[in-house]
Amino acid sequence: MPERLAETLVDLWTPLIILWITLPSCVYMAPMNQAHVLTTGSPLELSRQSEEMRILSRSKRGWVWNQMFVLEEFSGPEPILVGRLHTDLDPGSKKIKYILSGDGAGTIFQINDITGDIHAIKRLDREEKAEYTLTAQAVDWETNKPLEPPSEFIIKVQDINDNAPEFLNGPYHATVPEMSILGTSVTNVTATDADDPVYGNSAKLVYSILEGQPYFSIEPETAIIKTALPNMDREAKEEYLVVIQAKDMGGHSGGLSGTTTLTVTLTDVNDNPPKFAQSLYHFSVPEDVVLGTAIGRVKANDQDIGENAQSSYDIIDGDGTALFEITSDAQAQDGVIRLRKPLDFETKKSYTLKVEAANIHIDPRFSGRGPFKDTATVKIVVEDADEPPVFSSPTYLLEVHENAALNSVIGQVTARDPDITSSPIRFSIDRHTDLERQFNINADDGKITLATPLDRELSVWHNITIIATEIRNHSQISRVPVAIKVLDVNDNAPEFASEYEAFLCENGKPGQVIQTVSAMDKDDPKNGHFFLYSLLPEMVNNPNFTIKKNEDNSLSILAKHNGFNRQKQEVYLLPIVISDSGNPPLSSTSTLTIRVCGCSSDGVVQSCNVEAYVLPIGLSMGALIAILACIILLLVIVVLFVTLRRHKNEPLIIKDDEDVRENIIRYDDEGGGEEDTEAFDIATLQNPDGINGFLPRKDIKPDLQFMPRQGLAPVPNGVDVDEFINVRLHEADNDPTAPPYDSIQIYGYEGRGSVAGSLSSLESTTSDSDQNFDYLSDWGPRFKRLGELYSVGESDKET
C-alpha cells in the first residue's frame, strides 16, 4: 500500500510541475526569427491565476517576459522588428505609454511608445556584442506614473556565418627525426572561428592538407599532423612545406576557410658510418722535428651532422705505435697525427700505421646497418737532418767537498754527434749560469774543474749549464743542466745561537737556573750536532756560577750561592767554551753577561741599575723622564734666544766672500734719493781711485761736534778694495756721530781690468752730455745697438 500511494502522488504532481516550468515558454515564446510579444494580465486575472496555482505555491508576475532574437548583419532599408511589448491593462484607449531602457535603448533599439513595437535601427554584430539586457515598463500617458513594476528581458543577436577560420599562431614550424616510422606525430595546429559555436555549424571546423602529400597527413577534427611515409631520409631531403586548410560549416560547400603553412624539418640521426676519403695517406717528417708537432691529418667523412658525425681516431696497428699518436679535432672532424717520441733517421727511415675512425654516438636502432667505423693506412717517411749533439745523460749530478783544491776535477760530461758524419764536439760553460766563474771545463773531454774555493755555508748547490757544439757546424748546439752539490767539512766553530744576557735576582736561591743557552754551528754533520760545554780552565772553580748540560743539546747556568748585591758588583762575565763533535773538533769561547737585578718576592725583575738606590722614594721612571724633557726644552729656548741676539748684533757690512749685488737689505729709513750726496761720498765708496774728501753725515744730528777727518791721499790702482773698506769701517766705528741703528751702505764699484772702463754713470766725473758712445760700435753688433740707444737718449735730453 505505501508503495502504490507514492506512485499515485508522483503521477499527480508530475503534470503540474511540467506545466509550471513550461507554461511561460509555451504560451509566449515566438518562433525563432519572428517578432516576440511580451504581455501582462489584469489584476483580476492575476488574482484568479494565483488561486488556481496556489497548490504550486508560485505567484505570477504582471510581466511575462522571455528572450528575443534578432539576426546580425541585417542591412535592409527599414528597421527590423525585434518584438512587441503589451500589457492586459491596456484597453486600447491609448492611455498607456511603453518605456524602454538599458543596453542600446534609443541608439540601437527603438520602441513605439504606443504600440510597444521594438525595432533594431542599426546593423548588429554578434562578435562585438552577443546580447543586450533591457528594461520595459508601462506608465500612464498623462501622468507618467508606473502602472506596473519594471521588468528586464534579453535580446540575443542571432549568429550568421560571417567569419572565416584563422590560424592565430601560424605559420608553424616543427621537427621530426628522420627515418621515423609511419604515423609518427609531428605536431598539431589550431584554428579559431569567431562565429557562435553553439548555433549552427558556423564554427564547426574541418582540417585538411592542400600541399604536402604524400609525406604528411592530418586528422580532420583534431588537426594532428603525422608522417604519411616511413623512413624519410634527411640526407635526401631535409625540409618540407605543408599547406593546411581549416573550413567551417563542417567542411560543406558554402563554408568559409583559412589556410596556414607548416615547415617540417627532419632532424638528424646517426644512420651513416664514417668513411675515409682515401685508403692510403703519405707523410714525411724531418728527424729533428719537435715532439708534439703535427705531422699530418686524416679525415673520415660522415653524412650525418652534429654529434652524430663526431668520430674518434685511433692507431690500431703498425710499427710506429710507440712513436706516433693521433688525436681528434672536434671542430675540423679530423685526426691529427703527432710525434710522440724522437725520431732517428740513422735507426729507421719509415713507418706504417693503421688508423681507425669510429662514430662516438651510435644509435642502436641502426646498428644492423653495419659497423659505424672505417680504417685507412698511413705511411710516414723520416727525412735526414743535421742533428745537434746528444749528451749521454739528460742531467748530471756532481758532488765536491767545500775544501777541494783548486783545479781539481769535479766530474765529466760526454756528448756525441748522432749524424753519420760524427762531427767532433767542443764543450763550454754557459757563463750566465756561472757568473762568478767558479768552474771551468775542458773543451775537448768535458771534464769540469774547480776555479775558485767553495763554501757550503754560503751556497750548497751550484747549477750550471754545459754547452756542446759541433766543430763542423757551430749552429748545432745542445745544452745540459749540471747540478753540483757542495759537501760539508767541519770548518766552522760553534757559537751562541743568539746574544744572551742573563738577569740574576739579588734574592735568588742557590742552584737556581739563571739562563738556558743553546749553540749553533754553520756546519751540517751527517749525524747532527752534538755540543760540549765547559768553562775556561782558570774559571773551573768559579765561586759564583756553574753550568749544566741538558739533553736537548742546550746549557743551563746556575747560581752557586745567594746574597748577590748589585751595589758591590752589578755585572758578571762568564766565558763558556763550546766544542763540536767534528773531525777534527772545533771550539770557540762565548761570553755570557749576567746582570744583578732587584726583583720582587715572586722573582719578577724590577730594576737592574745601581742608580736606583739613590732615587727618591716614590719617584717613578715616568716622572724622571718628564723632568728630563723639561730641562731639555729650557736648554733649547736659551740656545734660540742667544742665537737671535747674536744675529741682531752682526755687522751689516758684507764680507769679501759675498756678492753685494745679489743681496737686498730692506729697511724703513728712506734716504734722499740719488741726489743725496751729503750723507756719504758716493764717488769714494764706488771707486777707491775716486776723489778723496770729507762729507759729513746729514741723516742725524750729532750730539758732539764732529772733527773733520784728514783726506786720504790718492791710492795707487793696486790698492785692495777689502783693505779700503776695512779702513772706512774702522773710522765709522770710532766716529761718535755714527748712527746706532741699522743702515745700508751700497758700493757700486765693479772692479778693474775692463778695457772699456766702467759703464756706470755713477762713477763718471763728466757731465752726461760730454760722453760719446761711438766706441761701442767696435765691440760688436750688440754693443753697437746699445750705443745707438744711449745716443738717442742723449739727443732727446738735449732736445
Side-chain angles (χ1 to χ4, degrees), residues 668-790:
D668 296 333
D669 185 21
E670 297 183 359
E674 295 182 357
E675 298 180 357
D676 183 9
T677 59
E678 297 181 357
F680 47 84
D681 188 358
I682 298 179
T684 303
L685 293 176
Q686 289 176 345
N687 190 350
D689 297 333
I691 299 175
N692 294 316
F694 168 73
L695 292 176
R697 296 178 62 104
K698 298 295 184 179
D699 53 351
I700 63 169
K701 183 178 180 179
D703 296 334
L704 301 175
Q705 184 63 31
F706 178 74
M707 298 302 295
R709 293 189 304 235
Q710 295 294 330
L712 296 177
V715 295
N717 294 334
V719 72
D720 190 1
V721 176
D722 185 48
E723 182 180 355
F724 168 77
I725 294 175
N726 290 331
V727 173
R728 288 287 187 265
L729 180 61
H730 179 71
E731 293 177 357
D733 293 339
N734 296 326
D735 189 354
T737 62
Y741 49 82
D742 293 341
S743 63
I744 182 170
Q745 300 184 33
I746 301 175
Y747 298 89
Y749 179 65
E750 298 180 355
R752 302 184 182 85
S754 176
V755 178
S758 177
L759 297 179
S760 175
S761 61
L762 298 177
E763 190 184 10
S764 177
T765 57
T766 61
S767 62
D768 294 340
S769 61
D770 297 334
Q771 296 188 25
N772 185 6
F773 303 100
D774 295 337
Y775 63 90
L776 294 177
S777 302
D778 300 335
W779 295 359
R782 298 183 179 178
F783 288 96
K784 180 179 179 181
R785 178 59 178 165
L786 182 61
E788 292 176 356
L789 294 175
Y790 271 90

Side-chain angles (χ1 to χ4, degrees), residues 81-396:
L81 178 62
V82 179
R84 175 179 298 170
L85 297 177
H86 183 72
T87 176
D88 293 341
L89 299 178
D90 186 3
S93 60
K94 301 182 179 180
K95 292 184 179 182
I96 297 178
K97 180 170 63 175
Y98 296 96
I99 298 175
L100 184 67
S101 61
D103 294 343
T107 57
I108 300 176
F109 301 102
Q110 194 174 44
I111 187 171
N112 189 320
D113 53 1
I114 298 176
T115 63
D117 294 340
I118 301 174
H119 292 82
I121 60 177
K122 287 186 178 180
R123 187 171 61 178
L124 302 178
D125 188 355
R126 190 201 65 85
E127 286 71 35
E128 292 182 1
K129 191 173 179 64
E131 61 183 28
Y132 297 85
T133 301
L134 296 97
T135 302
Q137 189 174 25
V139 299
D140 186 85
W141 181 271
E142 296 178 354
T143 62
N144 286 332
K145 292 183 178 181
L147 301 177
E148 297 262 346
S151 183
E152 290 184 354
F153 66 96
I154 298 174
I155 298 178
K156 288 192 174 184
V157 181
Q158 188 175 0
D159 182 51
I160 64 174
N161 190 18
D162 58 342
N163 292 279
E166 294 182 356
F167 292 91
L168 301 180
N169 298 325
Y172 297 87
H173 296 271
T175 59
V176 63
E178 63 172 332
M179 311 303 292
S180 296
I181 61 175
L182 179 66
T184 301
S185 177
V186 178
T187 186
N188 68 315
V189 298
T190 302
T192 59
D193 196 321
D195 293 326
D196 190 357
V198 178
Y199 175 72
N201 294 327
S202 299
K204 185 177 182 181
L205 304 181
V206 174
Y207 299 90
S208 61
I209 292 180
L210 301 181
E211 182 180 341
Q213 298 95 345
Y215 305 104
F216 301 96
S217 62
I218 188 170
E219 291 289 339
E221 296 181 357
T222 61
I224 298 176
I225 295 95
K226 299 180 180 179
T227 57
L229 289 178
N231 300 329
M232 288 188 290
D233 192 359
R234 184 199 64 84
E235 288 74 29
K237 186 176 181 180
E238 184 176 4
E239 193 173 271
Y240 297 86
L241 182 64
V242 181
V243 179
I244 302 171
Q245 175 185 266
K247 190 174 183 180
D248 60 11
M249 299 299 294
H252 296 92
S253 60
L256 303 178
S257 64
T259 60
T260 187
T261 59
L262 169 65
T263 302
V264 181
T265 303
L266 298 183
T267 58
D268 184 61
V269 297
N270 190 10
D271 58 340
N272 295 282
K275 186 70 176 178
F276 280 105
Q278 56 193 72
S279 59
L280 181 62
Y281 294 87
H282 292 275
F283 300 108
S284 59
V285 55
E287 63 172 333
D288 59 350
V289 69
V290 181
L291 297 182
T293 302
I295 297 174
R297 291 174 176 262
V298 296
K299 184 173 184 179
N301 299 318
D302 196 321
Q303 296 181 0
D304 297 322
I305 59 175
E307 66 176 14
N308 295 323
Q310 292 180 359
S311 299
S312 62
Y313 295 84
D314 295 296
I315 300 175
I316 60 176
D317 197 6
D319 53 1
T321 55
L323 299 176
F324 302 95
E325 64 180 359
I326 187 170
T327 58
S328 302
D329 189 340
Q331 294 183 351
Q333 294 294 326
D334 56 8
V336 183
I337 300 176
R338 301 180 183 275
L339 183 62
R340 189 175 178 181
K341 292 183 178 180
L343 299 174
D344 188 3
F345 173 80
E346 289 74 22
T347 303
K348 189 173 180 61
K349 298 179 175 57
S350 65
Y351 297 89
T352 301
L353 305 175
K354 186 176 182 180
V355 297
E356 179 186 74
N359 278 151
I360 299 176
H361 306 282
I362 298 177
D363 194 334
R365 295 178 300 171
F366 309 104
S367 58
R369 295 195 172 194
F372 285 81
K373 61 179 66 176
D374 193 19
T375 59
T377 302
V378 178
K379 289 188 174 293
I380 301 174
V381 177
V382 181
E383 298 177 349
D384 189 19
D386 190 4
E387 301 175 82
V390 178
F391 283 94
S392 59
S393 175
T395 59
Y396 291 88

Side-chain angles (χ1 to χ4, degrees), residues 22-41:
T22 60
L23 181 61
S25 299
C26 296
V27 175
Y28 298 103
M29 185 173 182
M32 195 68 67
N33 297 333
Q34 295 183 7
H36 297 75
V37 180
L38 299 179
T39 63
T40 62

Side-chain angles (χ1 to χ4, degrees), residues 442-517:
N442 189 300
D444 297 328
D445 57 12
K447 291 183 179 180
I448 302 173
T449 57
L450 185 63
T452 59
L454 300 177
D455 189 353
R456 191 204 65 85
E457 287 70 37
L458 295 178
S459 180
V460 179
W461 289 94
H462 297 272
N463 298 305
I464 62 175
T465 299
I466 304 299
I467 301 174
T469 307
E470 290 185 8
I471 296 179
R472 297 176 185 174
N473 186 359
H474 292 173
S475 63
Q476 296 296 331
I477 61 174
S478 296
R479 299 171 181 267
V480 67
V482 177
I484 301 174
K485 182 179 181 181
V486 181
L487 301 178
D488 182 55
V489 295
N490 191 24
D491 58 346
N492 291 277
E495 58 186 5
F496 275 160
S498 62
E499 293 292 335
Y500 292 102
E501 185 177 13
F503 297 97
L504 174 63
C505 293
E506 290 180 315
N507 56 357
K509 299 179 181 179
Q512 180 182 356
V513 176
I514 302 172
Q515 180 72 40
T516 300
V517 299

